[in-house]
Amino acid sequence: MPDDEKELTHIRNFGNSAHIDAGKTTTTEAMLYLAGRIRAVGTVHEGTAKMDFMDQEQERGITIQSLRVLDGAIIILDGKKGVEAQTETV
């Protein structure tokens, strides 16, 4: 369905949440690529991630944008570090 035909009732807003360096941006980039919304998966360390478009995000290698209105969230846990102290807060 073309973008101009989508009804607001069919759109859901969700976000990825995790500790620092757990893979939020990488996972989001992969999801957008698989959904056909971006042409290539960027990386945080190379500064090519589409999600991290602000200068401060690219310089610091972190995502700064705040997510205020979500219909749902995906919590990403680092497989190597496991559940960290603030996981429930996140």
Side-chain angles (χ1 to χ4, degrees):
M1 172 181 340
D3 287 337
D4 58 348
E5 292 180 20
K6 290 182 181 175
E7 293 183 32
L8 189 57
T9 58
H10 293 121
I11 296 174
R12 294 296 174 259
N13 197 15
F14 69 93
N16 295 331
S17 181
H19 293 283
I20 294 173
D21 291 332
K24 295 178 295 293
T25 302
T26 302
T27 301
T28 303
E29 293 274 320
M31 292 169 71
L32 290 170
Y33 175 75
L34 292 171
R37 302 304 292 176
I38 60 175
R39 293 184 180 191
V41 176
T43 66
V44 174
H45 301 293
E46 294 176 7
T48 57
K50 312 299 181 289
M51 294 300 300
D52 295 340
F53 59 88
M54 295 171 56
D55 290 339
Q56 299 96 330
E57 293 173 319
Q58 292 172 358
E59 290 169 9
R60 296 169 62 188
I62 61 171
T63 303
I64 298 172
Q65 305 168 53
S66 63
L67 304 171
R68 294 179 183 220
V69 181
L70 298 176
D71 294 310
I74 297 170
I75 304 299
I76 299 171
L77 301 175
D78 185 323
K80 291 182 181 179
K81 295 179 184 176
V83 177
E84 297 182 53
Q86 293 294 319
T87 297
E88 287 186 31
T89 302
V90 171

